[in-house]
Amino acid sequence: MKKIFVAFVAFLALCACGNGEKKPLDYRGLSMNIPFKTFCDSLTARGFVVDSAKTDSAFTRVSMFNPAEKYRLMLAQHNDTLDAIQENYVISTNDSTRRMWQQIRDGFEKSIGAWPNMLKDGEDHRIAKFEADGGFITVTLENTYKPTLSVLYQPK
């Protein structure tokens, strides 16, 4: 009986350790650990276009937009690995920016299942940082004369 118990405990320990592989951070259903060119091609298939005027010549920082979306994307890469994605929202008024910030924050709270670390929580400047399985997501609101709202995805 003791041998069966020891074998069972060993099996549970093996299952608990698993393969040790962490889940990569996803960007709207796309895994951020795929090659950079493949990631850009996937975004192009979703209707995004490269903005060559705002993309550097070495293709380390790529700007993309989709006319149907309220945001523009800035992608940063190093050695064909995606370093970060930033969504920059184009919104005209402070009130709509505050409302959208709250909706985005609440959406991440539900999807990640965690409370954010509120780095700054003022009326006109808010920063919420979420830690997901494969990285960090930072939602930033800056209401100045020209309101800005951005979401930064950074893999670990």
Side-chain angles (χ1 to χ4, degrees):
M1 184 69 176
K2 187 176 181 182
K3 288 181 182 180
I4 293 173
F5 179 74
V6 170
F8 180 72
V9 170
F11 176 74
L12 286 178
L14 182 64
C15 290
C17 292
N19 58 6
E21 195 172 307
K22 292 182 180 178
K23 181 183 173 195
L25 186 63
D26 284 349
Y27 172 75
R28 298 184 183 256
L30 289 175
S31 175
M32 289 181 65
N33 68 346
I34 60 177
F36 185 71
K37 173 94 171 86
T38 307
F39 192 86
C40 288
D41 291 343
S42 298
L43 288 174
T44 302
R46 292 181 177 197
F48 283 87
V49 201
V50 174
D51 185 355
S52 58
K54 295 183 179 182
T55 300
D56 65 358
S57 60
F59 222 62
T60 56
R61 295 183 56 177
V62 177
S63 177
M64 300 182 87
F65 70 96
N66 183 344
E69 299 291 343
K70 295 180 182 178
Y71 58 88
R72 298 178 63 88
L73 291 176
M74 180 60 77
L75 294 90
Q77 65 108 1
H78 181 70
N79 294 334
D80 201 36
T81 303
L82 192 60
D83 285 340
I85 300 173
Q86 183 168 341
E87 295 175 345
N88 295 310
Y89 286 81
V90 181
I91 303 169
S92 59
T93 65
N94 288 341
D95 290 338
S96 61
T97 309
R98 287 185 192 109
R99 191 175 329 109
M100 184 172 267
W101 183 87
Q102 190 66 45
Q103 290 170 348
I104 291 171
R105 180 189 174 276
D106 292 347
F108 282 127
E109 219 173 83
K110 284 182 182 177
S111 67
I112 295 173
W115 289 92
N117 180 10
M118 293 298 294
L119 303 175
K120 190 154 185 131
D121 193 12
E123 179 65 21
D124 288 336
H125 190 190
R126 299 175 186 169
I127 301 172
K129 188 168 189 173
F130 293 90
E131 184 173 359
D133 287 338
F136 300 97
I137 301 170
T138 307
V139 184
T140 305
L141 167 71
E142 291 181 287
N143 274 340
T144 55
Y145 293 110
K146 183 178 178 188
T148 59
L149 177 63
S150 64
V151 181
L152 177 65
Y153 298 80
Q154 296 171 300
K156 286 183 183 176

